[in-house]
Amino acid sequence: MLNVVLVEPEIPNNTGNIGRLCVGTESRLHLIHPFGFVINDKNLKRSGLDYWVHLDVTEYQNAEEWIEQIPDQSRVFLMSSHSDKSYLENEFQDGDWLVFGKESVGLSKEFMARFENHLTIPMSPFIRSFNIANSVAFVVGEAKRQIGLKKFNH
């Protein structure tokens, strides 16, 4: 099972869509406070709350609380438009942690410095970044594809 981590999410529609994606892909969702919305917000309901009861979701008061329970920090992958390595070049494993920053500014330099694995999603120079829900879908899709191939080939 993959672990999707949203650090300080700001937009409820995105978090709702990502929650729905996690239910559909049997991934766990980890949410690190503070949020830019209330978890029972009507926008969150519209985006994915009817699926929320099926979601394996954990909330953390801060990044330290989340980091304390990671069994292997070498399997944490931070997504950043500032990275040089594409997520398509990475070898994912079941149980990996896929970490996405807040919509407005991404992950802070301090947060990025805590982990060694930084990945990016290749994109044209005409945009600054993809929508976070789309970004999560890209990366989870590729990771699930790789994990499925490994299971099939063994």
Side-chain angles (χ1 to χ4, degrees), residues 59-91:
E59 292 183 39
Y60 305 90
Q61 291 312 301
N62 53 51
E64 281 65 38
E65 185 182 340
W66 167 68
I67 290 169
E68 285 172 8
Q69 57 81 51
I70 301 169
D72 180 1
Q73 292 193 14
S74 74
R75 301 310 308 170
V76 174
F77 298 93
L78 307 183
M79 301 307 300
S80 170
S81 59
H82 303 292
S83 175
D84 293 327
K85 183 179 179 183
S86 168
Y87 78 104
L88 297 167
E89 300 170 47
N90 194 63
E91 287 191 32

Side-chain angles (χ1 to χ4, degrees), residues 1-153:
M1 189 173 278
L2 292 169
N3 294 285
V4 174
V5 182
L6 304 182
V7 179
E8 302 180 10
E10 298 170 312
I11 300 172
N13 303 54
N14 289 333
T15 301
N17 282 319
I18 292 164
R20 184 176 183 167
L21 177 81
C22 287
V23 170
T25 60
E26 299 179 327
S27 301
R28 289 185 186 101
L29 181 60
H30 304 264
L31 302 172
I32 300 175
H33 283 269
F35 302 163
F37 55 90
V38 176
I39 208 77
N40 63 3
D41 186 284
K42 68 180 189 323
N43 293 323
L44 187 62
K45 283 185 181 173
R46 193 172 344 166
S47 303
L49 201 60
D50 49 337
Y51 300 93
W52 210 258
V53 295
H54 304 289
L55 179 62
D56 183 347
V57 61
T58 306
E59 292 183 39
Y60 305 90
Q61 291 312 301
N62 53 51
E64 281 65 38
E65 185 182 340
W66 167 68
I67 290 169
E68 285 172 8
Q69 57 81 51
I70 301 169
D72 180 1
Q73 292 193 14
S74 74
R75 301 310 308 170
V76 174
F77 298 93
L78 307 183
M79 301 307 300
S80 170
S81 59
H82 303 292
S83 175
D84 293 327
K85 183 179 179 183
S86 168
Y87 78 104
L88 297 167
E89 300 170 47
N90 194 63
E91 287 191 32
F92 293 104
Q93 297 175 12
D94 200 22
D96 280 353
W97 300 81
L98 311 174
V99 183
F100 300 82
K102 64 168 91 176
E103 290 91 338
S104 62
V105 294
L107 297 166
S108 70
K109 287 187 171 132
E110 296 77 29
F111 192 96
M112 296 287 291
R114 298 181 84 157
F115 298 94
E116 61 187 54
N117 298 316
H118 303 173
L119 302 173
T120 193
I121 299 170
M123 66 189 95
S124 82
F126 300 110
I127 62 170
R128 194 176 59 248
S129 63
F130 288 108
N131 170 279
I132 189 170
N134 292 337
S135 296
V136 173
F138 281 135
V139 181
V140 167
E142 174 61 15
K144 293 290 282 187
R145 184 191 71 79
Q146 289 183 20
I147 292 164
L149 286 174
K150 287 176 191 160
K151 286 180 182 175
F152 185 73
N153 291 326

